[in-house]
Amino acid sequence: MATREQLIALFESNQGTYFSGEDIAERLSISRAAVWKAVNSLRAEGYPIDAVRNRGYCLSQTTDVLSAQGIAKYLTDDCAEIQLTVLPEVDSTNTAVRERAAAGAPEGVTVVSGCQTQGRGRIGRTFYSPSQTGVYLSLLLRPPHCQPQEAVKLTTMAAVAVCEAIEEVSSEQAQIKWVNDIFIGDKKVCGILTEAALGLEDGCLDYAVLGVGINVYAPKDGFPEELQKIAGSVFETAQNDGKNRIAAAFLNHFMADYKNRDVSDYAARYRARSLVIGRDIWVMQGGQAYPAHVLDVDRECRLHVQYADGRIDCLTSGEISIRVRSEGV
């Protein structure tokens, strides 16, 4: 482990505790000059490290810098296979993990970033991913004997995990707009994008890349105009270790369900957090929008709808939009 990572691990595990330069040098088997250089480097990255004469260096207890060490200290045993890489900026975490998957990386490889320059959403959309405000995470999965149509279960499982993570680290109640958008109130705070590759011999998934983008905070200058009525954030003000805690909580909840594989268990929790049951929606199909009423979400997380003509349908994937009263039928 490089000096930087060793020092972050030491500070993250002992927030609020002072270490003298001599003590750190001895623990890390480096010179005191190297300690000073490493501390200044971390400060330049945004780590609030205090230095007090005769006491040493201390990582502030109110720090909120995304790091592998900061996430790892909150992970449970269910995440034993998780291999974390945290990058300050990346084009797309999904792209980064897909490249690793194609090279034969094992299940559990996870790339997390605080900024994406080419973040992707569903149906070719972009995903706004500004620096220092969110957690953008992609996880490599290799589920055995998984048929393509079952990939949606990974998305719905992730949606439940995001809701539970938000509820764990904040006082907010999160809900799911079928199939993959997470809302707090009437604002979207998270999007999920699952991409997969098929094995040519058996037609099963070779791997899946589960991408999750969470707006932990609102951007300093606000969301772009086109997102202001849509996008929101989990927290209104800075939190101690907010980004690390929410990333770890998501991984903990997701991996617990992923290992359990009890569909009925997480499906019931998905349904309980549905934002659309009993509401009027538009179902987007073939470039057209059809008015419908949501009847239920079943144990497979499929959406049961009734169209204006009385016809009932069961949707396994697709795009919907919630109708407001002024839009009529």
Side-chain angles (χ1 to χ4, degrees):
M1 188 185 296
T3 297
R4 175 186 178 279
E5 281 68 36
Q6 288 180 295
L7 189 55
I8 293 174
L10 176 64
F11 281 146
E12 286 283 8
S13 300
N14 300 276
Q15 281 183 252
T17 301
Y18 281 88
F19 294 94
S20 68
E22 182 178 358
D23 188 13
I24 296 174
E26 184 176 339
R27 287 170 179 260
L28 275 54
S29 300
I30 59 176
S31 68
R32 293 188 63 175
V35 171
W36 180 83
K37 182 178 180 180
V39 166
N40 284 340
S41 176
L42 292 182
R43 282 174 168 167
E45 294 178 28
Y47 284 88
I49 300 173
D50 298 326
V52 177
R53 185 181 295 275
N54 298 325
R55 296 189 68 185
Y57 302 104
C58 169
L59 179 63
S60 171
Q61 290 182 303
T62 59
T63 184
D64 189 19
V65 179
L66 195 61
S67 71
Q69 295 81 1
I71 295 171
K73 69 183 180 183
Y74 296 112
L75 296 180
T76 64
D77 290 343
D78 286 320
C79 295
E81 297 176 1
I82 295 294
Q83 301 174 37
L84 284 169
T85 298
V86 176
L87 304 171
E89 181 179 293
V90 68
D91 54 355
S92 160
T93 57
N94 264 32
T95 298
V97 172
R98 289 192 69 161
E99 290 172 352
R100 289 163 170 76
E107 180 171 86
V109 163
T110 303
V111 173
V112 187
S113 182
C115 177
Q116 294 183 121
T117 58
Q118 299 176 38
R120 301 200 309 279
R122 294 180 68 243
I123 321 178
R125 299 189 181 112
T126 59
F127 189 87
Y128 183 60
S129 315
S131 178
Q132 304 298 321
T133 64
V135 169
Y136 315 109
L137 176 157
S138 294
L139 167 64
L140 175 59
L141 302 169
R142 294 188 183 275
H145 315 298
C146 183
Q147 297 296 320
Q149 61 270 23
E150 295 180 277
V152 69
K153 295 179 181 178
L154 300 175
T155 302
T156 53
M157 194 179 292
V160 174
V162 171
C163 288
E164 292 176 339
I166 289 172
E167 292 160 5
E168 178 181 319
V169 304
S170 75
S171 59
E172 303 292 345
Q173 179 183 7
Q175 292 182 286
I176 304 165
K177 183 178 83 81
W178 189 88
V179 61
N180 67 329
D181 291 336
I182 309 304
F183 277 65
I184 292 177
D186 61 352
K187 296 295 180 69
K188 177 179 173 179
V189 299
C190 171
I192 301 167
L193 175 65
T194 304
E195 299 178 304
L198 300 181
L200 295 178
E201 294 184 0
D202 58 8
C204 292
L205 293 190
D206 181 21
Y207 65 82
V209 175
L210 177 65
V212 176
I214 304 174
N215 300 332
V216 182
Y217 308 112
K220 182 179 179 180
D221 297 324
F223 288 100
E225 185 176 354
E226 67 272 17
L227 297 178
Q228 288 178 3
K229 293 183 179 180
I230 304 170
S233 60
V234 176
F235 298 113
E236 293 184 359
T237 59
Q239 303 290 310
N240 178 30
D241 240 6
K243 294 194 285 289
N244 288 329
R245 285 190 294 126
I246 206 165
F250 164 74
L251 290 170
N252 289 336
H253 286 286
F254 178 81
M255 291 305 295
D257 278 333
Y258 180 71
K259 289 187 173 183
N260 183 21
R261 305 293 170 87
D262 185 348
V263 174
S264 61
D265 181 33
Y266 83 80
R269 283 145 49 214
Y270 184 98
R271 184 183 186 279
R273 290 174 172 81
S274 173
L275 182 65
V276 298
I277 292 177
R279 299 185 69 169
D280 294 326
I281 63 170
W282 296 103
V283 176
M284 313 301 181
Q285 292 179 341
Q288 298 293 318
Y290 300 94
H293 182 77
V294 177
L295 302 174
D296 204 356
V297 174
D298 65 21
R299 69 183 304 273
E300 298 294 326
C301 296
R302 297 173 298 189
L303 194 70
H304 292 250
V305 301
Q306 184 172 26
Y307 294 103
D309 62 4
R311 181 170 55 93
I312 293 176
D313 197 4
C314 177
L315 306 179
T316 58
S317 63
E319 185 82 1
I320 66 169
S321 175
I322 297 174
R323 283 165 37 206
V324 296
R325 290 183 180 179
S326 62
E327 293 175 323
V329 177

